[in-house]
Each structure stands twice: as structure tokens, then as C-alpha cells.
Amino acid sequence: MAAVVVRRDLPEAPPASVARTELAALAVDAPHSMAGYSRARFPHWVQQGQQCDTREVVLARDGQDVVRDQECRAVSGAWVSPYDDKILTSASQVDIDHIVPLANAWRSGADAWDTPTRRKFANDLENPQLIAVSAASNRSKGDQSPDQWSPPSRAYWCTYSRAWTHIKHVYRLNVTAAERDRLNVMLDTCE
């Protein structure tokens, strides 16, 4: 009999009714230029204490029975990827996804941020911005917005759209008209 792995959820996003209000308040704008963009402009996987970087903290938070070595690396555990419902049994199979990708944030207003704000965004453990998912789903998503990519598991659309909208709201990022429209469709799955 296969072991049951319980999926842990990222920090809770507001309910759909609040997400709709946040979405309506976001500025709608065309994507900014990618000129000057680099992932290095968003220092990520910074130290979070006890030799643990942001990736390791999320692996422990989102996993089940996670065992770490002396350097805080996850050496065993199990994770459920909410994007595609895959069960992962090795940390090497797990990517930590930025719900709102770094490049999307850049195109949505992060191009005007200072480095400390970009660092906070890339390592945000307080808001629903980081989540453990299968490497395959994360790479399929890339830096696409919801009008270009949605989690294959439709059951996750409600959580995903609420998290995406909340992150855009918290960081005062723009949305495109197509992105806003798709988020409204995805928020409909919450009801």
C-alpha cells in the first residue's frame, strides 16, 4: 500500500471576495520592457537562520517527514506538487516556485524597485509567494502569467489565483488586461 502524502499549503491568501477587490484595484498596464532584467537582480535563496536558506525553509514547510542534514539540506521527505498533483520523494525533484515569477514582476513594475525590495520579494515567506512544486510543472510555467499558463490541476486554480492576485496587490504590481480577465475566470472556481 502506497504512503499517503499530505500536501501542505503556502501561507494563506485572502478569500476570493477579498482577492476580487484586490484585483479590481490593480493598475492595468502593458508589460514593461525586459531591458536590464536578470535573475541576479532579485537576490534569492538568502540565509534565513540556522544555516537554512529560503529554499530549504520552503522544502521543510511544504514537505512531510522532511529530514535535514547538518547543513539544513533536505535529505529525505515527501512533497505533493499542487500544480500537477505529483508526489515527489526527493528534494532534487522539487523546485521552489515564485507564484509571481521574477521576470513577470519585472515586467509588472519591479524594474523600478531597489535591491532590498527585490530581495524581499524573491524570499517572501510571509505571503503566498513561494511554493514547492514539481520541477516539470515549474519549468512548464516559466515566467508566464495566468493568461498564458495555469496549473494543470484545475482543483488548484482557486488557491493559485488568490495567491497571484494577493502578491500583485501586496507589491503594487501591474496586471495586463488579459491577465486580469484570466484571474477572474480562475477566481470563479472558488465559488
Side-chain angles (χ1 to χ4, degrees), residues 31-178:
H32 296 192
S33 167
M34 288 299 286
Y37 171 77
S38 160
R39 283 182 65 85
R41 303 280 304 264
F42 292 81
H44 55 288
W45 307 164
V46 299
Q47 289 298 308
Q48 299 288 344
Q50 301 177 346
Q51 295 185 312
C52 298
D53 66 18
T54 306
R55 173 182 163 75
E56 295 301 338
V57 171
V58 176
L59 284 171
R61 180 196 73 196
D62 292 3
Q64 183 174 316
D65 301 324
V66 176
V67 175
R68 297 175 177 175
D69 66 13
Q70 291 181 335
E71 295 177 9
C72 196
R73 294 177 300 213
V75 293
S76 66
W79 297 263
V80 176
S81 171
Y83 290 173
D84 52 12
D85 297 321
K86 290 184 179 174
I87 295 176
L88 313 167
T89 56
S90 170
S92 65
Q93 299 171 312
V94 180
D95 277 3
I96 306 304
D97 183 44
H98 292 91
I99 296 277
V100 175
L102 305 180
N104 182 281
W106 183 271
R107 289 189 299 268
S108 304
D111 56 332
W113 293 350
D114 60 17
T115 299
T117 303
R118 288 190 196 113
R119 179 183 296 110
K120 180 180 178 191
F121 178 84
N123 297 280
D124 189 342
L125 295 169
E126 296 174 18
N127 292 295
Q129 167 63 341
L130 300 170
I131 188 168
V133 298
S134 70
S137 66
N138 188 40
R139 290 169 193 160
S140 169
K141 173 185 172 185
D143 67 353
Q144 299 177 89
S145 57
D147 56 301
Q148 302 162 322
W149 184 92
S150 300
S153 174
R154 189 177 169 91
Y156 202 67
W157 284 14
C158 173
T159 301
Y160 186 80
S161 58
R162 288 169 37 236
W164 182 285
T165 300
H166 188 62
I167 291 300
K168 288 270 182 142
H169 172 77
V170 166
Y171 287 95
R172 295 187 171 104
L173 294 169
N174 300 327
V175 291
T176 65

Side-chain angles (χ1 to χ4, degrees), residues 172-187:
R172 295 187 171 104
L173 294 169
N174 300 327
V175 291
T176 65
E179 178 184 353
R180 180 201 57 211
D181 294 347
R182 181 63 172 177
L183 285 164
N184 274 313
V185 168
M186 293 175 78
L187 286 167

